Amino acid sequence: MKGLWTPAWIARHVLALALIAGFLALGWWQFSRATGGNSLSWGYTFEWPVFALFVAFLWFREVQQERQASRGVATQPDGDSDVPAAATEDAPLTVRRPVRVPVKSATPAGDDPDLAAYNDYLAWLNAHPGARPGDYPGHKPAPK
């Protein structure tokens, strides 16, 4: 629980409370406008409290995640995130990382002459940083 009272977390708590109070105040302001005859404000009357509930949900979720992390609880590696797995000597904490799958190009670079010519052009531009595209030796002027 000590981890929730660090300066960063205190700033998060204050920010969450300020946002919730601000959104509820804006909802009350829109309610007073709606009862005064502004019919468009009725939608905003209900929208601002929804924003406040969303901030409260995010704050609650972040607090729960921090508490689980400080207790040393991780999720099962099989993807069942509802079942916590305690870290033991036999089963260390698992860290989820994205799966990277190598992707092959649809056509090899050697099979496409246009692609090979373009790569040569880019290599020439890279080798001659001050050159203009028209200076390329293989440049063909546009027909007139």
Side-chain angles (χ1 to χ4, degrees):
M1 194 66 144
K2 182 181 176 185
L4 294 176
W5 295 109
T6 62
W9 268 105
I10 292 172
R12 289 178 189 167
H13 297 319
V14 169
L15 178 65
L17 289 174
L19 285 174
I20 291 170
F23 290 162
L24 291 176
L26 287 169
W28 183 256
W29 171 62
Q30 290 294 333
F31 177 74
S32 65
R33 288 186 50 166
T35 56
N38 186 351
S39 60
L40 182 63
S41 291
W42 281 112
Y44 295 117
T45 299
F46 299 106
E47 184 179 32
W48 285 111
V50 169
F51 290 158
L53 287 173
F54 183 68
V55 169
F57 166 74
L58 288 178
W59 173 82
F60 179 76
R61 189 183 73 173
E62 291 296 320
V63 166
Q64 293 304 316
Q65 287 179 352
E66 177 66 24
R67 291 178 68 203
Q68 285 179 356
S70 67
R71 283 195 311 243
V73 175
T75 57
Q76 293 285 351
D78 63 354
D80 189 7
S81 61
D82 295 336
V83 181
T88 63
E89 293 177 7
D90 298 333
L93 285 176
T94 58
V95 178
R96 293 182 185 262
R97 292 189 174 91
V99 177
R100 292 192 168 87
V101 179
V103 178
K104 293 183 180 179
S105 65
T107 59
D111 293 348
D112 189 0
D114 291 333
L115 181 60
Y118 184 66
N119 285 335
D120 289 341
Y121 170 67
L122 291 178
W124 184 86
L125 284 176
N126 189 34
H128 302 89
R132 297 179 312 210
D135 296 338
Y136 179 61
H139 175 69
K140 297 175 187 167
K144 293 182 183 181

